[in-house]
Amino acid sequence: MSFRTPTAADHVEDVSPGSGTLPPRAWYARSDARSLSLNGDWRLRVAPTADAEDDSFAVPGFDAGDWARVTVPGHWVLQGDGAFGSPIYTNHLYPFPVDPPRVPTENPTGDHLRLFDLPSDWPAAGSGDAVLRFDGVESCARVWLNGTELGVFKGSRLPHEFAVGALLKPSGNVLAVRVNQWSAGSYLEDQDQWWLPGIFRDVTLLHRPAGCAGDFFTHASYDHAGGEGTLRVDSEVAGRVSVPALDIDVATGESVTVPVRPWTAETPHLYDGELITPGERVPLRIGFRTVALTDGLITVNGRPLLFKGVNRHEWHPEKGRALDPGTMREDVLLMKRHNLNAVRTSHYPPHPAFLDLCDEYGLWVIDECDLETHGFVEQEWRDNPVDDERWTPALLDRAARMVERDKNHPSVIVWSLGNEAGTGRGLTAMADWIHARDDGRLVHYEGDADCRDTDVYSRMYPAHEEVRRIAEGRDGGTRARRRLPLILCEYAHAMGNGPGGLADYQALFESHDRLQGGFVWEWIDHGVRDERFGYAYGGDFGEELHDGNFVCDGLVLPDRTPSPGLLEYKKVIEPVLIEVDGAGGTARVTNRQDFADLSAFAFTWSCQVDGETVGSGPLTVPALAPGGSADVKLPALPDGRDAETGWTVSAALAADTRWGAAGHEVAWGQGAVTARRVPAVEPAGAPAFPGDGTLALGPGVFDARTGALRAIGGVGVTGGPRLDVWRAPTDNDDGAPWQSDTRYGLLWRKLGLHRMRHRLDAVEQDGPALTVRTRVAPAAWEVGIAAVYRWTSDGERLALTVSVTPEGDWRVPLPRLGVRFGLTGPADRVRWFGGGPGEAYPDTKAAARLGRWESTVDALQTPYVRPQENGARADVRWAEVGGLRIEGDPDFWFTARRWTTEHLDAAAHLTDLVPGDTVWVNLDHGQHGIGSQSCGPGPLPHYRLDAERAEFSFVFTPVG
């Protein structure tokens, strides 16, 4: 006979949400009742198992003098220089055996202690109660105060409160919290993020005076037809509601209708009010808006929305998910300044202060429940908790804690049941409860393919063509689903260089009413700041199971520097579309906002000649209503210009706003008037042989035997120029293992494009020209490319024409097609006329503005957490670097870096890239598209760089 002895840690594997906590209620940060933050310096002891230590540490008088000190909010694995364990990253695989609700015996457990005194003016005992609130603890917490156990809770990213008034003392209070990294709750929190145990959100003691406000629900609807708002505040404790700006003073539970300015993400007007109960005054920030599903579309205040959104995990490279208010505000400001209008809180409710900021600055929010069971997909969803009624109370608890906490935020317009949790009766129970509790918002869940429980049809990463089929009603599905709008809750995977294809998605969204936009995955790279690697990712902490740099897939880098992907997205989702007809001298301006007219923007024109601005001025544009367009006449240009001439029209904030200063640009458009002049070199003189093994042609010096260029006018050249078809594969080139589409990065490497061999066939003098004939091919394959280099000179300039002819059966596109060479002399500053200021590729160049730009070689690089192809500038007419001016015919892609492509390809972290003395330059006739295949679709067909015959030319001129 055998049996298991119960332990004090049995609560860890209990599928219930916990015990001892108060019912969930509305969350607010301020009132006239006293509060005491218990954030700050805590004592910590970490044990390897849940039952390694007894409970004596919770008893007053316990000596914890030799315990470590940690900061709360915080994660213990990100403090102590590794003394308390390490982070673990998995995308969806559980880092422990899947045996619900059991967890490993090896269960890191952090005992936390905080001693505190009550402030001298804290209300005396008997004058009400007190509540202890935890806003976020991962993943299971057992709590004691002054030796008395309060209870247990799970639901890491949700608030939990305990009544503690009878236990408080004026001084010497002992708060003890035992936190287990793994618990039954961990099975519900498999959310594609770092597993980081700890008390990572605020801990607060709240005085609850007699007659204080309990739970309350602010209902503030808007009638767009009459311009009136209706306010009703339902309160657990009867009282009054005051809104001075609207002359409102009514009892709780009573409705009042008055003329108001509505709240939208574009016009986030909030009214300051107050809930007044006999014992407390609670500030209210009220936004009037009505959310509905109208004629198959998501509407707010009677108008359909177009989400231009982003998924947002909470992240800080040093503090993990312990975000401070300043970091949250920085996120919101960056979003607003890059034209985003919506956030999906993947995959859990954020810190409530973030929603306050969304209310204030204006962002639509899909608020997602703290739920994901993605790891069960590996066993075909067997034993999935969301379809096991034993877990339903925990699911309902999580839904209720989200809704009750966040229900008073006007920015929250959709509740999401969670993410990638399969299907089951638990999700239906959650949807039913939410619909019954709040009929003023919609319910979302991407996994509900038939839309039985949800109000929108949601998809992740569909290809462009599939989105088109859905828009046109050709996707099949249930009748209920076909009547609902489509949103892409995740699309355009922003991992490394990319995402590509954003403009193509946006064109679909703008063309079909049923498509109501989407949310790019995701906001920030989750790199952990690390001295060894710069930023660490999965596997860098010795995890036995991890998903590598898949955790670095954001529109901003870990330090919140905007990536080229964010700048591209900003351009693609501009609130104003500006289409310049350069030849006609007009600009067509279209208001792409959903609610606001154009009165907030000031428009300007400027004229560029060969990339330099030669004139500018204000442009009068009518205050168009949403969806409206107007053609605006541009000023007359002087006659006789023989250079490349074009217009730029820009829209900027006309005055300071909460999120941006006057002059902040929100949109721009360009149009050509006259085309560029193509560089031409008239050959003058034939190659000369000085007799020292070299060949001279104008300013060029060549190896007489191989035809390799050695110098141009005193500028040392090495390694070419010679044909180059390889790029260090991007995350999107390599693709994700589950992708059914062709993963080109893997095929390129299999074919050997990273190890091409160059065979010299001939070095010929043909009149004034030097011709070098080569064949470029990988070992072990019959395919290759015949490359012919033809050099000529007019005495001062050196011209190169490259002709390429594919040989064999090329079944894959090329990564790039161009020439590469090294500059051995000083080369720091770079100037160019072309697309800029940032990097661009065929399907990521909407934001590349034609002009003259300057940079350093180092600043040309994009520091992706995992190094990969980056830094190309598009549509370059000419570039100057290292004493050379390079002109191209046709326009070319320009890249310069202090390491070779091979070094870039071999690097796993930024710290692996060591600058050399040579600057390596790529002049590319073509680049393969980027796509989004690190999780989504690859590049569209028209962005493929197929192996075809091509000819392209460059002119090299020595410059001072």
Side-chain angles (χ1 to χ4, degrees):
M1 177 178 179
S2 63
F3 59 91
R4 175 176 176 269
T5 303
T7 72
D10 281 354
H11 66 278
V12 173
E13 295 180 342
D14 185 354
V15 299
S16 74
S19 61
T21 57
L22 295 170
R25 66 185 180 103
W27 192 100
Y28 52 91
R30 296 180 298 115
S31 80
D32 65 346
R34 287 302 311 271
S35 66
L36 175 65
S37 172
L38 298 179
N39 295 345
D41 189 45
W42 287 55
R43 292 286 189 170
L44 173 71
R45 174 185 65 189
V46 178
T49 65
D51 55 1
E53 303 286 352
D54 61 26
D55 304 341
S56 61
F57 80 103
V59 178
F62 180 86
D63 183 6
D66 60 347
W67 287 20
R69 294 181 182 273
V70 293
T71 298
V72 170
H75 306 278
W76 71 68
V77 295
L78 294 182
Q79 303 183 60
D81 294 326
F84 310 131
S86 301
I88 300 170
Y89 168 62
T90 61
N91 168 28
H92 73 279
L93 298 174
Y94 290 105
F96 47 80
V98 179
D99 183 23
R102 305 296 301 281
V103 296
T105 299
E106 296 81 15
N107 187 358
T109 298
D111 289 337
H112 296 70
L113 274 177
R114 173 74 152 86
L115 276 61
F116 66 93
D117 299 333
L118 296 178
S120 58
D121 58 349
W122 189 267
S127 59
D129 201 348
V131 164
L132 178 64
R133 181 172 70 198
F134 294 86
D135 283 319
V137 182
E138 183 176 334
S139 75
C140 174
R142 187 179 176 198
V143 185
W144 296 261
L145 181 63
N146 292 329
T148 297
E149 183 171 354
L150 303 179
V152 172
F153 64 86
K154 306 179 187 76
S156 298
R157 283 151 280 278
L158 294 162
H160 295 83
E161 294 182 327
F162 298 97
V164 297
L167 300 175
L168 289 173
K169 303 184 298 183
S171 63
N173 293 283
V174 178
L175 176 58
V177 185
R178 172 162 287 168
V179 180
N180 309 103
Q181 174 155 21
W182 310 123
S183 70
S186 301
Y187 284 100
L188 305 180
E189 296 171 5
D190 187 21
Q191 296 157 317
D192 185 11
Q193 60 181 330
W194 293 98
W195 300 87
L196 298 172
I199 305 172
F200 68 95
R201 286 186 185 161
D202 306 289
V203 182
T204 311
L205 183 67
L206 305 167
H207 181 239
R208 301 283 76 210
C212 65
D215 189 26
F216 62 91
F217 195 164
T218 300
H219 303 271
S221 61
Y222 179 71
D223 177 4
H224 64 277
E228 293 181 318
T230 298
L231 175 66
R232 186 185 81 249
V233 178
D234 295 331
S235 178
E236 180 182 5
V237 176
R240 302 196 65 78
V241 177
S242 170
V243 187
L246 297 175
D247 292 328
I248 291 176
D249 186 351
V250 296
T252 54
E254 292 185 8
S255 297
V256 58
T257 300
V258 294
V260 298
R261 294 170 58 189
W263 189 97
T264 73
E266 295 167 7
T267 57
H269 191 79
L270 294 171
Y271 290 92
D272 290 324
E274 198 170 38
L275 169 63
I276 306 164
T277 65
E280 188 175 18
R281 304 173 78 96
V282 180
L284 305 176
R285 303 211 75 190
I286 302 166
F288 290 88
R289 88 285 180 278
T290 295
V291 181
L293 192 64
T294 307
D295 297 328
L297 296 176
I298 303 168
T299 63
V300 173
N301 303 338
R303 298 188 64 87
L305 300 183
L306 185 60
F307 291 117
K308 302 170 182 177
V310 68
N311 288 276
R312 176 185 177 270
H313 267 300
E314 293 184 308
W315 187 249
H316 187 282
E318 296 170 348
K319 303 174 184 176
R321 285 186 290 279
L323 264 61
D324 58 277
T327 299
M328 289 184 268
R329 185 177 297 272
E330 183 180 357
D331 277 347
V332 171
L333 291 175
L334 278 170
M335 290 175 186
K336 293 292 291 186
R337 290 168 184 169
H338 289 85
N339 295 334
L340 277 77
N341 72 359
V343 176
R344 174 180 173 231
T345 69
S346 54
H347 297 295
Y348 42 82
H351 191 292
F354 179 78
L355 298 180
D356 288 338
L357 294 166
C358 293
D359 295 341
E360 178 183 354
Y361 291 100
L363 288 167
W364 308 115
V365 175
I366 294 181
D367 199 358
E368 192 149 274
C369 194
D370 192 11
L371 172 62
E372 181 171 341
T373 64
H374 198 176
F376 285 90
V377 71
E378 296 297 325
Q379 53 196 57
E380 299 178 341
W381 298 106
R382 289 189 306 276
D383 300 321
N384 184 8
V386 304
D387 199 28
D388 183 337
E389 62 185 11
R390 293 175 301 168
W391 295 76
T392 299
L395 302 182
L396 289 172
D397 180 75
R398 290 173 183 244
R401 289 188 183 279
M402 170 183 69
V403 171
E404 303 297 5
R405 191 196 80 166
D406 297 341
K407 59 183 178 283
N408 295 318
H409 289 282
S411 58
V412 176
I413 62 171
V414 178
W415 302 115
S416 179
L417 303 180
N419 183 68
E420 292 177 317
T423 58
R425 68 196 84 176
L427 290 164
T428 297
M430 293 169 69
D432 289 345
W433 185 90
I434 293 174
H435 277 123
R437 178 62 174 134
D438 181 12
D439 61 2
R441 294 180 174 93
L442 307 181
V443 172
H444 164 275
Y445 177 63
E446 181 269 341
D448 184 10
D450 294 332
C451 299
R452 294 180 305 172
D453 300 323
T454 53
D455 302 310
V456 296
Y457 179 31
S458 178
R459 289 292 306 278
M460 291 182 181
Y461 308 107
H464 296 78
E465 184 52 37
E466 184 177 1
V467 174
R468 186 187 304 278
R469 288 199 306 271
I470 295 171
E472 296 172 351
R474 298 186 286 116
D475 58 309
T478 63
R479 184 180 182 185
R481 191 180 84 183
R482 295 197 306 273
R483 291 179 171 180
L484 295 178
L486 174 75
I487 63 170
L488 305 188
C489 67
E490 294 180 21
Y491 82 112
H493 199 247
M495 185 176 177
N497 187 334
L502 281 169
D504 306 271
Y505 276 115
Q506 195 65 26
L508 288 168
F509 298 159
E510 306 253 352
S511 301
H512 301 275
D513 290 343
R514 188 186 181 191
L515 306 181
Q516 294 200 255
F519 298 79
V520 168
W521 184 268
E522 66 153 308
W523 176 241
I524 188 169
D525 285 346
H526 297 201
V528 177
R529 199 182 304 279
D530 186 280
E531 290 184 1
R532 299 164 297 168
F533 307 120
Y535 290 105
Y537 49 76
D540 289 337
F541 297 100
E543 305 102 301
E544 63 180 8
L545 187 69
H546 65 85
D547 285 289
N549 70 311
F550 200 70
V551 75
C552 296
D553 45 12
L555 290 170
V556 297
L557 303 179
D559 63 357
R560 284 178 162 75
T561 298
S563 76
L566 181 57
L567 301 177
E568 177 80 356
Y569 197 27
K570 175 187 177 182
K571 174 61 180 169
V572 165
I573 59 175
E574 289 171 331
V576 185
L577 175 63
I578 301 172
E579 301 167 290
V580 179
D581 178 1
T586 61
R588 185 168 184 80
V589 178
T590 302
N591 183 357
R592 297 204 292 189
Q593 298 178 109
D594 295 323
F595 297 91
D597 63 23
L598 296 186
S599 59
F601 305 129
F603 291 80
T604 56
W605 64 268
S606 61
C607 176
Q608 287 77 40
V609 176
D610 281 344
E612 288 193 291
T613 297
V614 297
S616 62
L619 187 67
T620 301
V621 175
L624 299 167
S629 296
D631 291 317
V632 181
K633 188 67 176 174
L634 297 171
L637 283 175
D639 295 330
R641 297 192 182 276
D642 60 356
E644 181 174 4
T645 306
W647 292 104
T648 300
V649 175
S650 172
L653 293 178
D656 292 347
T657 69
R658 292 189 185 97
W659 53 265
H664 169 78
E665 186 177 66
V666 298
W668 57 271
Q670 290 186 307
V673 179
T674 58
R676 64 175 293 218
R677 293 174 296 179
V678 176
V681 172
E682 275 303 318
F689 297 86
D692 59 356
T694 66
L695 179 155
L697 181 62
V701 178
F702 298 81
D703 185 300
R705 184 181 64 84
T706 64
L709 182 66
R710 293 289 178 254
I712 302 177
V715 177
V717 177
T718 186
R722 66 179 188 173
L723 192 72
D724 190 14
V725 298
W726 178 244
R727 72 184 187 195
T730 68
D731 293 310
N732 287 305
D733 287 339
D734 284 341
W738 56 84
Q739 290 290 346
S740 58
D741 294 341
T742 303
R743 297 168 64 191
Y744 289 118
L746 277 61
L747 290 179
W748 294 337
R749 202 177 294 276
K750 179 181 178 181
L751 185 59
L753 299 189
H754 61 305
R755 48 177 176 80
M756 300 290 274
R757 299 292 183 261
H758 296 252
R759 187 184 72 205
L760 178 62
D761 288 339
V763 178
E764 304 169 342
Q765 180 182 351
D766 180 15
L770 170 67
T771 301
V772 181
R773 301 183 185 277
T774 69
R775 186 176 191 269
V776 184
W781 299 93
E782 82 283 8
V783 297
I785 298 174
V788 179
Y789 310 91
R790 187 174 188 271
W791 295 93
T792 59
S793 176
D794 62 3
E796 296 182 354
R797 298 177 296 168
L798 191 63
L800 168 65
T801 297
V802 182
S803 302
V804 297
T805 304
E807 298 176 345
D809 185 14
W810 282 88
R811 299 185 178 182
V812 297
L814 300 174
R816 68 174 355 125
L817 179 64
V819 295
R820 182 178 77 166
F821 58 93
L823 298 176
T824 58
D828 181 47
R829 302 297 304 179
V830 180
R831 299 175 63 240
W832 74 98
F833 172 26
E839 76 179 26
Y841 291 82
D843 53 350
T844 67
K845 67 174 191 172
R849 189 189 316 224
L850 185 63
R852 291 201 187 191
W853 308 100
E854 294 190 23
S855 175
T856 63
V857 170
D858 293 339
L860 290 176
Q861 317 310 310
T862 302
Y864 296 116
V865 174
R866 185 191 75 81
Q868 55 197 273
E869 166 63 33
N870 74 91
R873 268 50 181 184
D875 302 323
V876 175
R877 279 71 163 147
W878 57 257
E880 292 180 357
V881 59
L884 286 181
R885 181 183 177 100
I886 307 162
E887 300 173 87
D889 178 22
D891 304 339
F892 59 98
W893 308 83
F894 172 79
T895 309
R897 52 176 68 103
R898 298 188 186 278
W899 38 77
T900 65
T901 300
E902 291 74 22
H903 289 139
L904 185 62
D905 187 19
H909 297 88
L910 290 170
T911 49
D912 296 331
L913 292 172
V914 180
D917 295 331
T918 300
V919 169
W920 292 94
V921 176
N922 276 90
L923 311 175
D924 291 320
H925 177 64
Q927 280 269 358
H928 186 67
I930 296 296
S932 186
Q933 205 176 5
S934 53
C935 194
L940 287 166
H942 53 281
Y943 298 123
R944 285 172 46 118
L945 179 61
D946 291 319
E948 299 174 336
R949 293 177 63 94
E951 186 172 282
F952 46 94
S953 300
F954 302 101
V955 175
F956 300 87
T957 306
V959 295

